[in-house]
Amino acid sequence: MYVPPQAFTGFGLGLLTEHYHDFLESEVPVDFVEVISEKFMVEAESSRVLRQVSERHPVTLHGVSMSIGYAGGPNCDYLRELRKLADAVDPLFISDHLTWSRIDRLHSHGPLPLPYTQGALDLVCRHVDLAQDIVGRSILFENPSSYIQYAYRDMEEWEFLSEMTRRTGCGILLDLNNIFNNSRNHGLDVNAYLHGLPAERVYEVHLGGNTKSRDALINTHDQPMCGDVWALYLQVTSLIGSVATMIERDSATPPLSDLLKELDIARGMAMASRRRRAMEAA
């Protein structure tokens, strides 16, 4: 079992291609940047950019293809490449998704949810142990946005996450837009979810936007946060205190100044919660 990562309470943005010049040529007022691990494992030019940016800002690595819930286990070659990247940039956190996305050589176009059963929990914990052994660090796993529900489960999602962190020493990346989407798509009890999580295992929060389809909210990361997600963020900072907070915007990329304004909103809300917690403790 790996020692949990050091807590970090800064505010960050994703390092997007459209904003490379800003990060390389100016002082961008962020506390860290988050990058998609796979992109910087394979692209030489992007890796050069990452090395330069990491001299100015701490970095977090966020993966999209570990497929920790795949029955055959994560790809060991992939994990070794991830370790090389982590050794090169010494990230604040390494994270991926509590999902599966492949069967043998076939890959889905997006992460798929797990059944929350005892058997799935045992399998995932074995895979998390393997991944952390190869990468050599504790890994954070993100709660998924889902568009289907399994007919049977032994436990709720937050119970699955809690037990997984207890057994493996991994952490949680809490995506608030995913929680909001699932509350609308499946009737998820948000209050039970947030109060059921082990607060000490939440190291990072993602904030993102969604798109409404005919039948569901889709986690698209192409819109600003809605008011309900901001309200969730205020609730989370009141419950668990300050953790690393990152704005996700993967497509329909706006000017960097727009994202920095959203990040300032998050800073202000976190500061307000911190003051309120201090007054209540006095």
Side-chain angles (χ1 to χ4, degrees):
M1 182 180 294
Y2 279 85
V3 175
Q6 292 292 315
F8 185 81
T9 59
F11 298 83
L13 296 175
L15 181 59
L16 305 177
T17 304
E18 295 88 341
H19 301 149
Y20 280 178
H21 179 80
D22 296 283
F23 278 94
L24 292 174
E25 302 298 330
S26 62
E27 292 295 328
V28 180
V30 298
D31 301 310
F32 70 98
V33 296
E34 184 161 285
V35 302
I36 300 300
S37 304
E38 290 81 359
K39 181 174 183 179
F40 294 90
M41 289 161 64
V42 299
E43 297 182 17
E45 180 64 19
S46 293
S47 298
R48 179 190 66 80
V49 171
L50 179 58
R51 285 195 299 272
Q52 293 182 30
V53 171
S54 66
E55 294 173 358
R56 299 187 178 200
H57 303 283
V59 172
T60 65
L61 301 178
H62 186 53
V64 296
S65 57
M66 190 178 295
S67 197
I68 202 70
Y70 167 50
N75 184 294
C76 292
D77 289 337
Y78 166 87
L79 293 172
R80 284 188 281 269
E81 288 300 312
L82 179 59
R83 179 164 187 158
K84 288 180 184 178
L85 178 61
D87 289 345
V89 301
D90 191 22
L92 293 169
F93 309 124
I94 299 173
S95 62
D96 209 286
H97 299 77
L98 181 60
T99 56
W100 62 282
S101 57
R102 65 188 177 92
I103 301 176
D104 297 326
R105 294 180 181 274
L106 299 176
H107 289 257
S108 71
H109 291 292
L112 302 171
L114 293 166
Y116 296 124
T117 63
Q118 189 61 50
L121 176 63
D122 293 341
L123 178 137
V124 166
C125 287
R126 290 196 299 271
H127 295 170
V128 171
D129 285 338
L130 171 65
Q132 293 184 145
D133 283 344
I134 293 177
V135 176
R137 291 169 169 82
S138 179
I139 300 173
L140 313 184
F141 288 94
E142 177 184 325
N143 56 294
S145 184
S146 62
Y147 311 106
I148 61 170
Q149 286 189 302
Y150 291 91
Y152 175 81
R153 63 177 179 238
D154 294 326
M155 63 196 83
E156 300 295 341
E157 183 174 283
W158 59 89
E159 296 171 319
F160 192 104
L161 281 163
S162 299
E163 184 63 11
M164 181 182 73
T165 63
R166 187 191 69 80
R167 288 171 53 173
T168 68
C170 72
I172 296 172
L173 192 169
L174 192 61
D175 189 303
L176 299 188
N177 189 57
N178 290 352
I179 292 176
F180 172 66
N181 287 351
N182 292 348
S183 72
R184 294 300 177 89
N185 293 341
H186 308 307
L188 174 74
D189 186 333
V190 174
N191 286 324
Y193 195 114
L194 296 181
H195 284 86
L197 287 174
E200 72 280 2
R201 292 291 186 177
V202 178
Y203 289 90
E204 185 178 357
V205 165
H206 274 182
L207 297 170
N210 55 54
T211 299
K212 183 174 177 57
S213 71
R214 185 180 65 178
D215 300 316
L217 289 179
I218 310 296
N219 187 35
T220 53
H221 298 167
D222 63 355
Q223 300 291 329
M225 271 70 68
C226 67
D228 290 296
V229 173
W230 282 123
L232 271 181
Y233 182 62
L234 189 60
Q235 185 177 357
V236 165
T237 54
S238 297
L239 282 173
I240 68 175
S242 298
V243 296
T245 298
M246 183 259 183
I247 303 288
E248 277 194 300
R249 193 68 174 268
D250 299 337
S251 59
T253 307
L256 181 61
S257 58
D258 290 357
L259 295 178
L260 291 172
K261 289 176 183 177
E262 286 191 298
L263 204 60
D264 282 341
I265 295 173
R267 280 197 184 96
M269 296 177 78
M271 289 178 61
S273 288
R274 193 178 303 129
R275 288 194 296 267
R276 185 165 55 252
R277 285 165 63 92
M279 291 175 61
E280 290 172 351

